[in-house]
Amino acid sequence: MKILILGSGQVGSTIATNLAQDNDVTIIDVDEQALKKIGSKLDVQTIVGNGASPVVLEMAGAADADLLLAVTRSDETNLLACKIAADVFNIPDRIARVRQSDYMEYALDKDDLENSLQIFGVTDSIHPEELVTDRLVALLSYNNALQVLTFADERAKMLVVEAHNGGLLVNKEISEINSHLPEGVDCQICAIYRNNRLIVPSAKTIIIEGDEVCFVADSRYVKTILRELRPLAQPTKRVMIAGGGNIGYRLAKQVENIYDIKIIENRAKRAEWLAENLDNALVLSGSATDENLLAHEYIDEIDVFCALTNDDENNIMSSLLAKDLGARRVLTIINRSRYVDLLEGNQIDTVVSPNLITIGHILAHIRRGDVVAVYPLRRGSAEAIEVVVHGTPETSALVGRRVSEVKWPNGCHFAALVRGDEVTMGHKEDAVMADGDHIIFFVSRRRVLRELEKLIQVKVGFFG
């Protein structure tokens, strides 16, 4: 596949790393030094120039490209490039990263806002602020979870949780979990990370305090299963948000009727705007790194402090200060991947990486086969993937076969199968896969993804 990527930032370069081995990739950017750095590491072509220029796109081979990925920091550049790619070069698939909500809120057909970006020739769009907000809402719903991932229209969830003494299963074998769970409740423990090393769990594996446990379950039973790994936590009631930008506002708007919300914004005019547009949130004008302001607003009574500004250093400092002053849990947005490695699980409870979330959403669009969702885990070294299987026993390597009959790639772990409202765990190896089933995988070795894609693809006969 011939792919053009506009933008050599963290999102663009990471996507290129994922695609370069099996595809003809060209990266376009105005930053010559960044392109040289990428070109020295990857087998890709690089072109210096504006990706929204027809001349530059032609130089990059747009005439015979299969996919345009416009992921620059400029919405306007991304949208104009997609329009040119559609009208001038007829590139079949055009994906744009779009931040500003204005572009999604206008359509020629007012009853069809979902397709508002069609006027720009966009076939698929990625909205980082929306994706990050959804992830934050999920994290607020489950106390102390490091990750909360949803699958099959929220019928199944995967959580990553640090095990603590007081959990019913801690210091016991995984096989004992059934003695604690109510009848009909089940889960699949997909992976355990102990001192940053992966343990592929078996029934005899003993979970110890500090283990980072990844499990999948029917969404209805997740909170019951959390009791196996941690003591019951007091429910979240009071939330303080540092930063009233797009993400801070979106989060406050979504949860202001669920929790007691305080939102701190340093820009006076933005604080006034927030006060006018939020109904039940208390808006504070000031800095989240102001110790006196935090103390005056009873930071020691806050259940969750969310640092959501656009500045990594500001988020880190305000989070450390809030934690030191008594906030029970701290949740922080960090853009630089190196910072994520250093901070998560130490002074800061949960780190959210907008770039990794965006990358996962893009990968779901471009992976072969019917891939519904891709979630990078462990800073991108592992993935959780949801696919839909199609075909018949004659045209599919999966349909009509038991889980135990399939030779899964080494490092690819079958986590769960979702059919209708029924969620079947991966340890039930007699389950037979059928057309339309949603299957959830935990992939600990990303280099086996190509083998997994081959397994889920339908043979040509299915379409004949």
Side-chain angles (χ1 to χ4, degrees), residues 284-312:
L284 305 168
S285 181
S287 170
T289 58
D290 182 341
E291 182 176 352
N292 291 328
L293 174 62
L294 294 179
H296 186 263
E297 293 300 329
Y298 304 102
I299 186 67
D300 58 329
E301 296 180 4
I302 293 296
D303 296 313
V304 184
F305 178 89
C306 303
L308 310 180
T309 74
N310 291 322
D311 186 286
D312 283 356

Side-chain angles (χ1 to χ4, degrees), residues 138-159:
L139 285 166
L140 288 177
S141 301
Y142 295 95
N143 283 330
N144 301 316
L146 300 175
Q147 295 257 28
V148 180
L149 313 175
T150 59
F151 302 94
D153 296 324
E154 300 202 1
R155 287 169 285 177
K157 285 187 170 71
M158 180 180 286
L159 270 72

